[in-house]
Amino acid sequence: MQHKASTGIDYGVSIPNNVNLAGDKRILKALERWHGGYLDWWRNMGPEGFQDAMVYLRTAVGVERDGWAKFGFIKMPEYRWGVLLAPQVPDRVIGFGDHKGQPAWQEVPGEYRGMLRRLVVIQGDTEPASVEQQRFLGKTAPSLYDMRNLFQVNVEEARHLWAMVYLLQKYFGADGREESNELLTRRSGNQDKPRMLGAFNEEMPDWLSFFMFTYFTDRDGKMQLESLAQSGFDPLSRTCRFMLTEEAHHMFVGESGISRIIERTCQAMNQARIENPYDIEAVRALGVIDLPTMQKKANLHYSLSLDLFGSEISTNAANAYSAGIKGRFHEDRIEDDHQLLNDTYPTLRLIGGQPKIVDEPALTALNMRLRNDYVRDTSGGIGRWNKVVARNAVDFEFRLPHEAFNRNIGEFSRVRTNPDGMIIGEQAFAEQKNQWLPSSEDADYVTSLMKLQTEIGKFANWIAPPKSGINKMPGEFEYVKIQ
Ligand code: BYC
């Protein structure tokens, strides 16, 4: 018997969905087959050691902007991963590029098949990669509250993999099936079969990295999904629009996690009457994370995330835009001709060995533009972290390093700079690197603090409790029942 919730999601078939899988037996069968391999992947590469724990998770029961979440205890392998698309906008038209004004595509246009598949595969690849990167963190969670948030992020990133796999299976035939399987075989950090983008092959050894990653790298996810949500390929647009509603919580986890660490460090410094935030030995003796080490971690995760925007000048980006496949951030709110054939955009380039802003054709500078939107979005949280520092009367200020700092992709991958963007030699960089990026001693210290705290309502010494619980639950709530 089928059960369709009043909100339009069908929970009666093995895969919850609002795309009528019950009436699409071929795709339902293909996804059911893929589900087996997916569960093997989840058991082997998902959160290690907590597969039998009962976790207080939210599951989507609707796709409307508000009120789609239902909270309850569930074992993670039994999570209802589903295929959920935002509602179809009637008579939607393509908003930009060569096909501007034409009806949005409900099927893949043959001429753009390869380009679309590549973007869907890259997006899909990042989702399981992040779960793999985070798989050991449950074992050192600073509280049950944080552990639950980690697992929430993990199951939702895994659902985002489902979202992309549905598109591949439904719209890309045999190639799509093959790509879906490949998504389960690449591994974060693996020498032979790594994940596709740089930041997703980095290790995530501790919770400070996790919070930085969810702040900086999930925000790249937000910007990329916003651009793909503008796509003329309507199923991709609808998929990304729903994914974005889940993404907001991930960035909240990052921003609030870092705020709580800053809060705790400042409190401890004030109690011990330590005024100099750079007296690292004294601060560390209190068992909290010194602010300069946090700045170094921010430098690292910010620069890795900037790489995810690709090169400043990119014909790939221009082609995807002209094709109507990938738009700009909030394309539908921008007032211009949405074709950009005669426009220019101020672009940060390496000119005569120095970073300089020069006008470039707007079409090829689209990665630069999206990265600028990202930098603006990112700055907001830095300001809020600085307010926590200021409220505690500590003399320290977090700031974003220059965009040329520590880059591996694009114009600035060929040079070394200090965090102010001044070009320096390889040797000068090597000599000062440990002041700007986490050193092995910093890593060892942070790792030494990572101890599992499972007492209900208790938090590790290095992080302050959150202001409120999840879903208005009280502080003393058992968010994860470890079996
Ligand atoms: N690492 O013209 P270029 C998320 C490659 S995160 C390795 O400069 P393009 C999430 C590029 O593939 C969002 N390779 O750049 C967050 C190309 O290779 P091919 C993920 C890189 O193509 C947290 C060559 O360099 N979604 O959702 O304009 C947790 C030249 O490329 C990198 C997307 O990224 C790199 N960093 O832009 C969980 C959206 N950068 O094809 C999830 C889909 C570039 O010549 N992807 N390359 O062999 C895209 O829109 C674009 O592919 C990119 C690159 C923005 C990534």
Coordinates of all heavy atoms in Angstrom, one line a residue, residues 118-120 122-124 126-131 133-134 153 157 160 196-200 213-214 217-222 224-225 228 243 247 250 304 306-318 326 367 370 409-410, ligand 1:
R118 N 29.1 16.5 -16.5 CA 30.3 16.8 -15.7 C 30.0 17.6 -14.5 O 30.5 17.3 -13.4 CB 31.2 17.6 -16.7 CG 32.5 18.1 -16.0 CD 33.4 18.8 -16.9 NE 34.4 19.5 -16.2 CZ 34.3 20.8 -15.8 NH1 33.2 21.4 -16.0 NH2 35.3 21.4 -15.1
L119 N 29.1 18.6 -14.6 CA 28.8 19.4 -13.4 C 28.0 18.6 -12.4 O 28.3 18.8 -11.2 CB 27.9 20.7 -13.9 CG 28.7 21.7 -14.7 CD1 27.8 22.9 -15.1 CD2 29.9 22.3 -13.9
V120 N 27.1 17.8 -12.8 CA 26.3 17.0 -11.9 C 27.3 16.0 -11.2 O 27.2 15.8 -9.9 CB 25.2 16.2 -12.6 CG1 24.5 15.2 -11.7 CG2 24.1 17.2 -13.1
I122 N 30.6 16.3 -10.7 CA 31.4 17.1 -9.7 C 30.7 17.4 -8.5 O 31.2 17.2 -7.3 CB 32.0 18.3 -10.4 CG1 33.0 18.0 -11.5 CG2 32.8 19.2 -9.3 CD1 33.6 19.1 -12.3
Q123 N 29.5 17.9 -8.6 CA 28.7 18.3 -7.5 C 28.4 17.0 -6.6 O 28.6 17.0 -5.4 CB 27.3 18.8 -7.9 CG 26.4 19.2 -6.7 CD 27.0 20.3 -5.8 OE1 27.4 21.3 -6.3 NE2 27.0 20.0 -4.5
G124 N 28.1 15.9 -7.3 CA 27.8 14.6 -6.6 C 29.0 14.1 -5.8 O 28.9 13.6 -4.7
T126 N 31.4 15.7 -4.4 CA 31.8 16.4 -3.1 C 31.0 15.8 -1.9 O 31.5 15.9 -0.8 CB 31.5 17.9 -3.2 OG1 30.1 18.1 -3.4 CG2 32.3 18.5 -4.4
E127 N 29.8 15.3 -2.2 CA 28.9 15.0 -1.1 C 29.4 13.8 -0.3 O 29.7 13.9 0.9 CB 27.5 14.7 -1.5 CG 27.0 15.8 -2.5 CD 26.7 17.2 -1.9 OE1 27.0 17.3 -0.7 OE2 26.3 18.1 -2.7
P128 N 29.7 12.6 -0.9 CA 30.2 11.5 -0.2 C 31.6 11.8 0.3 O 32.0 11.3 1.4 CB 30.2 10.3 -1.2 CG 30.2 11.0 -2.5 CD 29.4 12.3 -2.4
A129 N 32.4 12.6 -0.5 CA 33.7 12.9 0.0 C 33.7 13.6 1.4 O 34.5 13.2 2.2 CB 34.3 13.9 -1.0
S130 N 32.8 14.5 1.6 CA 32.8 15.1 2.9 C 32.4 14.2 4.0 O 32.9 14.2 5.1 CB 31.8 16.3 2.9 OG 30.5 15.9 2.8
V131 N 31.5 13.2 3.7 CA 31.2 12.2 4.7 C 32.4 11.3 5.1 O 32.7 11.1 6.2 CB 30.0 11.3 4.2 CG1 29.7 10.1 5.2 CG2 28.8 12.1 4.0
Q133 N 35.5 12.3 4.8 CA 36.5 13.1 5.5 C 36.1 13.2 7.0 O 37.0 13.3 7.9 CB 36.5 14.6 5.0 CG 37.2 14.7 3.6 CD 37.0 16.1 3.0 OE1 35.9 16.5 2.8 NE2 38.1 16.8 2.9
Q134 N 34.8 13.1 7.3 CA 34.4 13.4 8.7 C 34.1 12.1 9.4 O 33.6 12.1 10.6 CB 33.1 14.2 8.6 CG 33.4 15.6 8.1 CD 32.1 16.3 7.6 OE1 31.0 15.9 7.9 NE2 32.3 17.4 6.8
V153 N 24.7 16.5 9.6 CA 25.4 17.0 8.4 C 25.7 15.8 7.5 O 25.4 15.8 6.3 CB 26.7 17.7 8.8 CG1 27.5 18.0 7.6 CG2 26.3 19.0 9.5
E157 N 24.4 15.3 3.7 CA 25.4 15.3 2.5 C 25.1 14.0 1.7 O 25.2 14.0 0.5 CB 26.8 15.4 3.0 CG 27.2 16.7 3.8 CD 27.0 18.0 3.0 OE1 26.4 17.9 1.9 OE2 27.4 19.0 3.5
H160 N 22.3 14.4 -0.4 CA 22.7 15.2 -1.6 C 23.3 14.4 -2.7 O 23.2 14.6 -3.9 CB 23.6 16.4 -1.2 CG 22.9 17.4 -0.4 ND1 23.5 18.5 0.1 CD2 21.6 17.5 0.1 CE1 22.7 19.2 0.9 NE2 21.5 18.6 0.9
M196 N 37.2 14.4 -6.7 CA 37.6 15.2 -7.8 C 38.2 16.5 -7.5 O 39.1 17.0 -8.2 CB 36.4 15.4 -8.7 CG 35.9 14.0 -9.3 SD 34.3 14.2 -10.1 CE 34.9 14.5 -11.8
L197 N 37.7 17.2 -6.4 CA 38.2 18.5 -6.1 C 39.1 18.5 -4.9 O 38.9 17.8 -3.9 CB 37.0 19.5 -5.9 CG 36.0 19.7 -7.0 CD1 34.9 20.6 -6.6 CD2 36.7 20.2 -8.3
G198 N 40.1 19.4 -5.0 CA 41.2 19.5 -4.0 C 40.8 19.4 -2.5 O 41.2 18.5 -1.8
A199 N 39.9 20.3 -2.1 CA 39.6 20.4 -0.7 C 38.9 19.2 -0.1 O 39.0 18.9 1.1 CB 38.6 21.6 -0.5
F200 N 38.4 18.3 -1.0 CA 37.7 17.1 -0.6 C 38.6 15.9 -0.4 O 38.2 14.8 -0.1 CB 36.5 16.9 -1.5 CG 35.5 17.9 -1.4 CD1 35.5 19.0 -2.2 CD2 34.5 17.9 -0.4 CE1 34.6 20.1 -2.1 CE2 33.6 18.9 -0.3 CZ 33.6 20.0 -1.1
F213 N 35.5 23.8 8.2 CA 35.1 23.2 6.9 C 33.6 23.5 6.7 O 33.2 24.0 5.6 CB 35.3 21.7 6.9 CG 34.9 21.0 5.7 CD1 35.8 20.8 4.6 CD2 33.6 20.5 5.5 CE1 35.4 20.1 3.5 CE2 33.2 19.9 4.3 CZ 34.1 19.7 3.3
T214 N 32.8 23.4 7.7 CA 31.3 23.6 7.5 C 31.1 25.1 7.4 O 30.1 25.5 6.7 CB 30.5 23.0 8.6 OG1 31.1 23.3 9.9 CG2 30.2 21.6 8.4
T217 N 33.8 25.7 3.6 CA 33.6 24.9 2.4 C 32.2 24.6 2.1 O 31.8 24.6 1.0 CB 34.5 23.6 2.6 OG1 35.8 24.0 2.9 CG2 34.5 22.8 1.3
D218 N 31.4 24.4 3.1 CA 29.9 24.3 2.9 C 29.4 25.5 2.2 O 28.4 25.5 1.5 CB 29.1 23.9 4.1 CG 29.2 22.5 4.4 OD1 30.2 22.0 5.0 OD2 28.2 21.8 4.1
R219 N 30.0 26.7 2.5 CA 29.6 27.9 1.9 C 29.9 28.0 0.4 O 29.2 28.5 -0.4 CB 30.2 29.1 2.6 CG 29.6 30.5 2.3 CD 30.1 31.5 3.2 NE 30.0 31.1 4.6 CZ 28.9 31.3 5.3 NH1 27.8 32.0 4.8 NH2 28.8 30.9 6.6
D220 N 31.0 27.3 0.0 CA 31.2 27.2 -1.4 C 30.1 26.3 -2.0 O 29.5 26.7 -3.0 CB 32.5 26.4 -1.7 CG 32.6 26.0 -3.2 OD1 32.4 26.9 -4.1 OD2 32.8 24.8 -3.5
G221 N 29.7 25.3 -1.2 CA 28.5 24.5 -1.6 C 27.3 25.4 -1.9 O 26.6 25.3 -2.9
K222 N 27.1 26.3 -0.9 CA 25.9 27.2 -1.0 C 26.0 28.0 -2.3 O 25.0 28.1 -3.1 CB 25.9 28.1 0.2 CG 24.9 29.3 0.0 CD 25.0 30.2 1.2 CE 24.3 31.6 0.8 NZ 24.4 32.5 1.9
Q224 N 27.8 27.4 -5.1 CA 27.7 26.6 -6.3 C 26.2 26.2 -6.5 O 25.7 26.2 -7.7 CB 28.6 25.4 -6.2 CG 30.1 25.8 -6.1 CD 30.7 26.4 -7.3 OE1 30.1 26.5 -8.4 NE2 31.9 27.0 -7.2
L225 N 25.6 25.8 -5.4 CA 24.2 25.3 -5.6 C 23.3 26.5 -6.0 O 22.3 26.3 -6.8 CB 23.7 24.7 -4.2 CG 24.3 23.3 -3.8 CD1 23.8 22.9 -2.4 CD2 23.9 22.3 -4.8
L228 N 23.7 26.7 -9.7 CA 23.1 25.6 -10.4 C 21.5 25.7 -10.2 O 20.8 25.2 -11.1 CB 23.6 24.3 -9.9 CG 25.1 24.0 -10.2 CD1 25.6 22.7 -9.5 CD2 25.3 23.9 -11.7
M243 N 18.1 21.3 -1.9 CA 19.4 21.1 -1.2 C 19.8 22.3 -0.4 O 20.3 22.2 0.7 CB 20.5 20.7 -2.2 CG 20.3 19.3 -2.8 SD 21.3 19.1 -4.3 CE 23.0 18.9 -3.7
E247 N 21.3 23.0 3.4 CA 22.7 23.5 3.6 C 22.8 24.5 4.7 O 23.9 24.6 5.3 CB 23.1 24.1 2.2 CG 24.6 24.1 2.0 CD 25.3 22.8 1.9 OE1 25.0 22.0 1.0 OE2 26.1 22.5 2.8
H250 N 24.1 23.4 7.9 CA 25.5 23.0 8.0 C 26.4 24.2 8.3 O 27.3 24.1 9.0 CB 25.9 22.3 6.7 CG 25.0 21.2 6.3 ND1 25.2 20.4 5.2 CD2 23.9 20.7 6.9 CE1 24.3 19.5 5.1 NE2 23.5 19.6 6.1
L304 N 41.7 26.9 0.8 CA 41.3 25.7 0.2 C 39.9 25.9 -0.5 O 39.7 25.4 -1.6 CB 41.2 24.5 1.2 CG 42.5 23.9 1.7 CD1 42.2 23.0 2.9 CD2 43.2 23.2 0.6
L306 N 38.6 28.8 -1.5 CA 38.7 29.7 -2.7 C 39.1 28.9 -4.0 O 38.7 29.1 -5.1 CB 39.8 30.8 -2.5 CG 39.4 31.8 -1.4 CD1 40.5 32.9 -1.3 CD2 38.1 32.5 -1.7
D307 N 39.9 27.8 -3.8 CA 40.3 27.0 -4.9 C 39.1 26.3 -5.6 O 39.2 26.0 -6.7 CB 41.3 25.9 -4.4 CG 42.7 26.4 -4.3 OD1 43.0 27.5 -4.8 OD2 43.5 25.7 -3.6
L308 N 38.1 26.1 -4.8 CA 36.9 25.4 -5.3 C 36.1 26.2 -6.4 O 35.2 25.7 -7.0 CB 36.0 25.0 -4.2 CG 36.5 24.0 -3.2 CD1 35.6 23.8 -2.0 CD2 36.8 22.7 -4.0
F309 N 36.5 27.5 -6.5 CA 35.8 28.3 -7.5 C 36.5 28.2 -8.9 O 36.1 28.8 -9.9 CB 35.7 29.8 -7.1 CG 34.8 29.9 -5.9 CD1 35.2 29.7 -4.6 CD2 33.5 30.2 -6.1 CE1 34.3 29.8 -3.5 CE2 32.6 30.2 -5.1 CZ 33.0 30.0 -3.8
G310 N 37.6 27.4 -9.0 CA 38.3 27.3 -10.3 C 39.1 28.5 -10.6 O 39.3 29.4 -9.8
S311 N 39.5 28.6 -11.9 CA 40.4 29.7 -12.3 C 39.6 31.0 -12.4 O 38.4 30.9 -12.8 CB 41.0 29.4 -13.6 OG 41.8 28.3 -13.5
E312 N 40.3 32.1 -12.2 CA 39.6 33.4 -12.3 C 39.1 33.6 -13.8 O 38.0 34.1 -14.0 CB 40.6 34.5 -12.0 CG 41.0 34.7 -10.6 CD 42.0 33.7 -10.1 OE1 42.4 32.8 -10.8 OE2 42.4 33.8 -8.9
I313 N 39.9 33.1 -14.7 CA 39.5 33.2 -16.1 C 39.2 31.8 -16.6 O 40.0 30.9 -16.6 CB 40.6 33.8 -17.0 CG1 41.0 35.2 -16.4 CG2 40.2 33.9 -18.4 CD1 39.9 36.2 -16.6
S314 N 37.9 31.5 -17.0 CA 37.5 30.2 -17.3 C 36.6 30.1 -18.5 O 35.5 30.7 -18.4 CB 36.9 29.5 -16.1 OG 36.2 28.3 -16.4
T315 N 37.0 29.4 -19.5 CA 36.1 29.2 -20.6 C 35.0 28.2 -20.3 O 33.9 28.2 -20.8 CB 36.8 28.7 -21.9 OG1 37.7 27.7 -21.6 CG2 37.6 29.9 -22.5
N316 N 35.3 27.2 -19.4 CA 34.3 26.3 -18.9 C 33.1 27.1 -18.3 O 31.9 26.8 -18.6 CB 34.8 25.4 -17.7 CG 35.7 24.3 -18.2 OD1 35.8 24.0 -19.4 ND2 36.5 23.7 -17.3
A317 N 33.4 28.0 -17.5 CA 32.3 28.8 -16.8 C 31.6 29.6 -17.8 O 30.3 29.7 -17.8 CB 32.9 29.7 -15.7
A318 N 32.3 30.2 -18.8 CA 31.6 31.0 -19.9 C 30.7 30.1 -20.7 O 29.5 30.5 -20.9 CB 32.7 31.6 -20.8
K326 N 24.6 26.9 -16.0 CA 25.0 27.4 -14.7 C 25.0 28.9 -14.7 O 25.7 29.5 -15.4 CB 26.4 26.8 -14.3 CG 26.8 27.2 -12.9 CD 28.2 26.6 -12.6 CE 28.7 27.2 -11.3 NZ 30.1 26.8 -11.0
N367 N 33.7 32.8 -12.7 CA 34.2 32.2 -11.5 C 34.7 33.2 -10.5 O 34.5 33.1 -9.3 CB 35.4 31.2 -11.8 CG 35.0 29.9 -12.4 OD1 33.8 29.6 -12.4 ND2 35.9 29.2 -13.0
L370 N 31.6 34.9 -8.9 CA 31.0 34.0 -7.8 C 31.9 34.0 -6.6 O 31.4 34.0 -5.5 CB 30.8 32.6 -8.4 CG 30.0 31.6 -7.5 CD1 28.6 32.2 -7.3 CD2 29.9 30.2 -8.1
I409 N 45.0 26.7 -7.2 CA 44.3 26.8 -8.4 C 44.2 28.2 -8.9 O 44.0 29.1 -8.1 CB 42.8 26.2 -8.2 CG1 42.8 24.8 -7.8 CG2 41.9 26.5 -9.5 CD1 42.9 23.7 -8.9
G410 N 44.3 28.4 -10.2 CA 44.1 29.8 -10.7 C 45.4 30.6 -10.8 O 46.5 30.1 -10.6
Ligands
BYC1 N1 40.3 21.0 -7.6 O1 38.1 26.4 -15.9 P1 38.5 25.9 -14.5 C1 29.7 21.3 -2.0 C2 39.7 21.7 -12.6 S1 31.0 22.2 -2.7 C3 40.6 20.1 -8.6 O2 39.5 26.7 -13.8 P2 35.7 25.6 -13.9 C4 29.9 20.7 -0.7 C5 38.4 21.7 -13.4 O3 37.6 20.7 -13.0 C6 30.4 22.6 -4.3 N2 40.4 20.5 -9.9 O4 37.3 25.8 -13.6 C7 30.6 21.4 0.3 C8 38.9 21.7 -14.8 O5 39.2 20.3 -15.1 P3 38.9 19.7 -16.5 C9 30.7 21.6 -5.4 C10 39.9 21.7 -10.2 O6 35.5 24.3 -14.6 C11 30.8 20.8 1.6 C12 40.2 22.5 -14.8 O7 40.6 22.5 -13.4 N3 30.0 21.9 -6.6 O8 28.7 21.1 -2.6 O9 35.2 26.8 -14.5 C13 30.4 19.5 1.8 C14 40.0 23.9 -15.3 O10 38.9 24.4 -14.6 C15 39.5 22.6 -9.1 C16 30.6 22.5 -7.6 O11 31.8 22.7 -7.6 C17 39.8 22.2 -7.8 N4 39.5 23.0 -6.7 O12 35.2 25.5 -12.4 C18 29.7 18.8 0.8 C19 29.7 22.8 -8.8 N5 39.0 23.7 -9.7 O13 37.4 19.6 -16.6 C20 29.5 19.4 -0.4 C21 30.1 22.1 -10.1 C22 39.0 23.5 -11.0 O14 39.5 20.6 -17.5 N6 31.4 22.4 -10.5 N7 39.5 22.3 -11.3 O15 39.5 18.3 -16.4 C23 31.8 23.5 -11.2 O16 30.9 24.4 -11.4 C24 33.2 23.7 -11.7 O17 33.6 22.4 -12.1 C25 34.2 24.2 -10.7 C26 35.5 24.5 -11.5 C27 33.6 25.5 -10.1 C28 34.6 23.3 -9.7

